[in-house]
C-alpha cells in the first residue's frame, strides 16, 4: 500500500470517529487511500487509523504530560480510544471496550448513560444496575444477550450458587491493585490471561483473603464479598478445582484510556470457574 498524505488523515479520522459507516468511508476516502474495494479500505483504516494514529496520539498526550506538565482531561484524554474504536464519546469507548464491537450500537447504548461525562467505573456501575428488560429495550438482541449474560455472571447469587455446588462460572472484582503497586505489571495483561488464586492465611485484616497472582507476581485480592464463601470452599478437603483468568483487557485500557483507569473501583474483574475434583 502507498503512503497516505498527512492532509488526508484528519478528515478520514474525523469521519471514522463520527461513526460514518464503512461503505460511506470507502466512497469518500478510497481515492486518498488508493483502495479499490471496501475490504481494502477497511484494512487500510485499521492499519493507519486504528493502530498507528491511535498510538501516535496516545504517545503525544503522554509526552505533553511528562515534559510540559499538561495532563489530558475529558474527551482529550479519551481521544486515543475514540480513534481506536471509531466512536465519538468516552462512554461509547467504554461500551466498545467491554465487547460491543458494532460502533453504532456502542454509541447508541452509551447515549442512554445518565452521566454527562461518566468515568469508566460509573459507566460499568450503570450497566450493572440495569434489569434484563431494560437492557433489552436499550439495544439490539445480540448485544442484549451479551450484556445480560455478563450481568448474570456478576450476580452474587450466581457466584454463591457456583461456590456451594463446586461447579460453575462467575465473575468478581479484583481489588487492591493500587495497594499491591502492580499497576504497571497489570497494564501488560490482556483479557483471558490465566491467573492463580492463593489463600492468604497470614492476612491479619481478613482471614478469608485470597490473593490473585500471575506467574508468581501478586496483583491484588479476590473481592472480600466473594472471598468469604470461596475461602470456605477452598479450605475444604474436597475443594473444587479453580480456574481463574482476567476478564478485563487491562493492557487495552491502559494504552487507550491511561493506566490510572486501572485504579477505578471494580474496573478489573476476574472470571472464576469451579469444577469438582
Amino acid at each position: 500500500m502507498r503512503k497516505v498524505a498527512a492532509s488526508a488523515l484528519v478528515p478520514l479520522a474525523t469521519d471514522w470517529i463520527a461513526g460514518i459507516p464503512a461503505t460511506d468511508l470507502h466512497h469518500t476516502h478510497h481515492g486518498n487511500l488508493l483502495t479499490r474495494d471496501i475490504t481494502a479500505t477497511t484494512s487500510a483504516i485499521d492499519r493507519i487509523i486504528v493502530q498507528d494514529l491511535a498510538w501516535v496520539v496516545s504517545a503525544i498526550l503522554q509526552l505533553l504530560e511528562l515534559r510540559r506538565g499538561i495532563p489530558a482531561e475529558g474527551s482529550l484524554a479519551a481521544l486515543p480510544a475514540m480513534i481506536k474504536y471509531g466512536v465519538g464519546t468516552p462512554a461509547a469507548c467504554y461500551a466498545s471496550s467491554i465487547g460491543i464491537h458494532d460502533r453504532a450500537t456502542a454509541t447508541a447504548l452509551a447515549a442512554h448513560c445518565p452521566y454527562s461525562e461518566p468515568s469508566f467505573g460509573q459507566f460499568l456501575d450503570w450497566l450493572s444496575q440495569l434489569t434484563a428488560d431494560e437492557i433489552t429495550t436499550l439495544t439490539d438482541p445480540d448485544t442484549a444477550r451479551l450484556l445480560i449474560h455478563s450481568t448474570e455472571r456478576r450476580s452474587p447469587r450466581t457466584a454463591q450458587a457456583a461456590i456451594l455446588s463446586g461447579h460453575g462460572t462467575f465473575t468478581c472484582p479484583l481489588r487492591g491493585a493500587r495497594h499491591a503497586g502492580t499497576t504497571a505489571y497489570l497494564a501488560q495483561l490482556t483479557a483471558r490471561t490465566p491467573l492463580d488464586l492463593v489463600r492468604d492465611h497470614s492476612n491479619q485484616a481478613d482471614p478469608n483473603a485470597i490473593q490473585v497472582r500471575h506467574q508468581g507476581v501478586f496483583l491484588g485480592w479476590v473481592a472480600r464479598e466473594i472471598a468469604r464463601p470461596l475461602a470456605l470452599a477452598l479450605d475444604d478437603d474436597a475443594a473444587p478445582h479453580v480456574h481463574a483468568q482476567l476478564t478485563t483487557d487491562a493492557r487495552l485500557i491502559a494504552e487507550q484510556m491511561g493506566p490510572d483507569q486501572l485504579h477505578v473501583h471494580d474496573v478489573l474483574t476476574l472470571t472464576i470457574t469451579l469444577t469438582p475434583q
Side-chain angles (χ1 to χ4, degrees):
M1 182 181 296
R2 300 178 187 177
K3 291 185 177 181
V4 177
S7 59
L9 290 180
V10 172
L12 174 59
T14 300
D15 286 350
W16 168 250
I17 293 173
I20 303 298
T23 51
D24 294 336
L25 288 171
H26 173 68
H27 177 75
T28 303
H29 299 284
H30 75 277
N32 288 326
L33 293 174
L34 304 175
T35 51
R36 294 183 178 181
D37 54 42
I38 190 172
T39 300
T41 296
T42 301
S43 177
I45 290 173
D46 182 68
R47 182 177 65 85
I48 297 169
I49 303 298
V50 175
Q51 298 181 40
D52 294 348
L53 184 60
W55 182 87
V56 169
V57 171
S58 179
I60 290 173
L61 294 178
Q62 291 179 46
L63 285 173
L64 283 174
E65 182 170 4
L66 290 172
R67 298 188 178 183
R68 301 292 184 180
I70 305 174
E73 298 178 347
S75 296
L76 182 60
L79 183 58
M82 291 191 285
I83 294 172
K84 180 176 182 62
Y85 294 121
V87 294
T89 66
C93 293
Y94 304 151
S96 298
S97 72
I98 63 173
I100 302 175
H101 301 302
D102 182 79
R103 295 185 294 141
T105 301
T107 299
L109 177 65
H112 292 285
C113 184
Y115 302 99
S116 57
E117 294 184 0
S119 66
F120 196 11
Q122 288 173 323
F123 181 79
L124 293 178
D125 184 60
W126 167 67
L127 276 183
S128 69
Q129 295 183 39
L130 295 175
T131 66
D133 288 341
E134 288 172 331
I135 291 173
T136 301
T137 61
L138 291 180
T139 189
D140 63 88
D142 288 339
T143 303
R145 282 193 290 271
L146 169 70
L147 294 176
I148 291 170
H149 183 59
S150 176
T151 300
E152 288 174 345
R153 283 193 167 186
R154 290 196 300 269
S155 167
R157 288 180 297 178
T158 300
Q160 190 173 53
I163 293 169
L164 288 174
S165 66
H167 183 272
T169 298
F170 57 92
T171 62
C172 73
L174 168 65
R175 302 264 172 82
R178 184 194 294 270
H179 177 78
T182 52
T183 301
Y185 187 91
L186 271 165
Q188 305 302 313
L189 303 184
T190 60
R192 300 186 181 87
T193 296
L195 302 171
D196 297 314
L197 302 186
V198 180
R199 281 286 280 117
D200 190 358
H201 293 287
S202 62
N203 191 313
Q204 296 182 355
D206 181 8
N208 298 310
I210 301 173
Q211 291 189 1
V212 180
R213 300 179 184 176
H214 177 252
Q215 296 181 353
V217 178
F218 169 58
L219 304 178
W221 291 272
V222 170
R224 182 177 293 222
E225 61 269 23
I226 299 299
R228 186 176 295 110
L230 184 57
L232 293 175
L234 296 181
D235 291 343
D236 190 83
D237 291 338
H241 293 293
V242 180
H243 306 275
Q245 61 182 18
L246 191 63
T247 310
T248 311
D249 194 326
R251 184 171 69 186
L252 186 60
I253 291 173
E255 288 177 351
Q256 303 303 327
M257 301 180 202
D260 286 347
Q261 288 294 328
L262 298 179
H263 294 153
V264 173
H265 185 66
D266 288 359
V267 160
L268 297 171
T269 58
L270 316 171
T271 298
I272 299 174
T273 299
L274 304 180
T275 56
Q277 287 196 27

